[in-house]
Amino acid sequence: MTVKVLLTCVGGGLTPQVIRFLKNSKVHKNTKVYGVDMNSSATGKYFADYFQTVSNGKSKNFINQIIKICRKFKINLVIPGSDEDALNLSKNRKRIETNITKIACVPFNVLNILSNKSKTYNYLEKFNIPLPIWYTVKNQKELFSCIKKLIIKKRDIVIKPSVSRGGRNVYVISKKINKEIFRNDGREIELNLTIMKRKYLKKIKKIFPAIVMEKLYSPCFDFDMLCKDGKLIKGVTRRRINPTVPNDGHYVENRKDIFKIGEKISKCFKLTWLYDCDFMLDNMKKPKIIEVNPRMSGSAAVSVAAGIPLFDDLISIYKKKKI
């Protein structure tokens, strides 16, 4: 049986490896990969069996284009490559899915929580899952009130949007810093409270409602979670060589503490398919959740290169085969 996989957002740096691993599967032979992206020169274009430029993943037109591709080529499995794509696809599941076509993500009400850090943290707190000290702030008064609480607790502080992509608009406040330090291509700025008040308060107001939380510390971990009906089937912990740039490489490590947290996350959200969590360490060197992504990691190919056949397993879930 030929398996036809549709990947969205195929412009990522490791997309060629994802496509190669899918097409060269020794378990599911004759796998064909169809790719779509907003960029007509997306890297995946040159590796997929078929490529089409599509509209923004948030748009209605995007869904109409996906439906046409699925019907025309009899696509079996649609794998979202971005948060926006996952949310829109899941929201329109009834229009897309058929007896042969399935979307590799959980229902929209779950993804709606995962795509918002405030909602995610609130939900995870109910299940006693390790989180940083955090607050949601909606205005300037709440911002400085929460900053004061963290200063009293002798914590450095992170301010970031509740909903974001690519780690943008992140402010790290530390009394040890006497100037601005720009990281991750300027997406993250480290500075002290005085500089923040003088130069960045207006910009911070634009990201309300925002998360104010204690600063967590390197290393940064990506945790690939292959799940089925709320059970964590396989979990792979990857420690980033460069904490701010996932594609700079990873060490695959055996972190039982992170795996146990992953089991709880899979269970409380009743996850099926492949997802990604980001972890960092608190000041006691214990792992804490940064976020749970509503789709697979852009660097999940690293785990497959290390010998864990996550993409084969995804197709096995679709085919209802034993993993």
Side-chain angles (χ1 to χ4, degrees):
M1 171 187 172
T2 299
V3 178
K4 298 178 180 180
V5 176
L6 174 60
L7 289 177
T8 74
C9 200
V10 295
L14 292 179
T15 298
Q17 282 71 31
V18 175
I19 294 173
R20 180 166 62 89
F21 287 135
L22 283 165
K23 291 175 67 172
N24 294 342
S25 172
K26 294 180 180 178
V27 177
H28 306 287
K29 297 179 180 179
N30 301 318
T31 299
K32 289 189 175 182
V33 178
Y34 300 72
V36 296
D37 198 276
M38 286 176 60
N39 182 357
S40 61
S41 299
T43 53
K45 173 181 181 178
Y46 306 100
F47 297 85
D49 295 290
Y50 170 87
F51 174 82
Q52 181 176 317
T53 306
V54 293
S55 302
N56 186 298
K58 295 180 179 180
S59 68
K60 291 181 180 179
N61 201 34
F62 169 79
I63 293 299
N64 292 332
Q65 290 165 331
I66 294 297
I67 291 171
K68 287 181 180 179
I69 293 169
C70 289
R71 301 295 183 268
K72 179 178 179 180
F73 296 104
K74 294 181 172 58
I75 296 297
N76 300 114
L77 187 62
V78 182
I79 303 177
S82 75
D83 293 8
E84 294 87 352
D85 293 358
L87 283 162
N88 205 2
L89 289 166
S90 184
K91 191 174 184 178
N92 289 277
R93 184 184 302 274
K94 290 182 179 179
R95 294 184 60 200
I96 298 168
E97 289 194 331
T98 64
N99 290 335
I100 64 168
T101 304
K102 302 298 177 185
I103 304 170
C105 63
V106 286
F108 177 75
N109 64 321
V110 177
L111 293 190
N112 196 36
I113 296 172
L114 297 179
S115 64
N116 183 298
K117 293 180 182 65
S118 290
K119 291 180 180 179
T120 300
Y121 289 0
N122 268 318
Y123 192 82
L124 292 177
E125 276 188 342
K126 299 174 185 177
F127 297 89
N128 297 316
I129 291 172
L131 295 166
I133 301 169
W134 71 282
Y135 310 94
T136 299
V137 300
K138 299 176 183 177
N139 53 54
Q140 182 175 318
K141 183 179 179 181
E142 291 180 355
L143 172 68
F144 286 111
S145 173
C146 294
I147 287 174
K148 185 178 180 180
K149 290 177 184 178
L150 288 169
I151 290 174
I152 291 171
K153 294 177 185 291
K154 297 182 179 180
R155 299 291 201 277
D156 287 342
I157 299 156
V158 173
I159 304 168
K160 60 184 181 181
S162 294
V163 180
S164 65
R165 183 180 178 187
R168 295 175 176 84
N169 300 311
V170 177
Y171 301 88
V172 181
I173 300 173
S174 173
K175 62 183 179 180
K176 301 173 185 177
I177 302 297
N178 57 17
K179 62 179 182 179
E180 299 150 282
I181 301 175
F182 296 90
R183 306 187 190 280
N184 195 13
D185 296 326
R187 298 177 181 183
E188 179 180 311
I189 305 173
E190 192 168 357
L191 67 172
N192 62 36
L193 187 57
T194 301
I195 297 173
M196 186 276 280
K197 289 179 179 178
R198 188 177 73 246
K199 294 184 63 175
Y200 292 96
L201 187 54
K202 287 184 178 179
K203 292 183 178 179
I204 290 172
K205 287 179 181 180
K206 292 180 180 179
I207 66 171
F208 288 154
I211 296 284
V212 177
M213 56 179 272
E214 67 172 312
K215 179 184 177 181
L216 299 177
Y217 299 93
S218 298
C220 184
F221 300 94
D222 290 276
F223 183 65
D224 296 312
M225 302 192 304
L226 183 82
C227 310
K228 180 74 168 63
D229 298 327
K231 183 178 180 181
L232 181 62
I233 306 298
K234 290 181 181 176
V236 187
T237 304
R238 298 184 276 112
R239 174 164 58 90
R240 296 182 188 178
I241 292 173
N242 183 341
T244 60
V245 185
N247 288 1
D248 276 4
H250 297 79
Y251 295 102
V252 175
E253 298 186 343
N254 182 14
R255 293 287 305 236
K256 293 181 180 179
D257 50 357
I258 290 177
F259 190 91
K260 287 180 180 179
I261 298 171
E263 285 183 315
K264 291 181 179 180
I265 291 170
S266 179
K267 183 177 181 179
C268 74
F269 283 115
K270 298 179 182 178
L271 296 178
T272 296
W273 308 108
L274 180 60
Y275 302 90
D276 164 55
C277 294
D278 294 339
F279 289 86
M280 292 184 77
L281 305 181
D282 65 12
N283 58 354
M284 301 298 290
K285 299 195 180 300
K286 293 184 179 180
K288 297 289 177 69
I289 287 279
I290 302 174
E291 62 181 341
V292 184
N293 292 301
R295 37 85 190 169
M296 75 175 187
S297 168
S299 53
V302 173
S303 293
V304 181
I308 300 93
L310 297 177
F311 303 147
D312 285 348
D313 296 336
L314 266 183
I315 296 174
S316 292
I317 290 174
Y318 166 79
K319 293 174 121 180
K320 299 181 179 179
K321 299 289 186 181
K322 185 178 178 180
I323 297 174

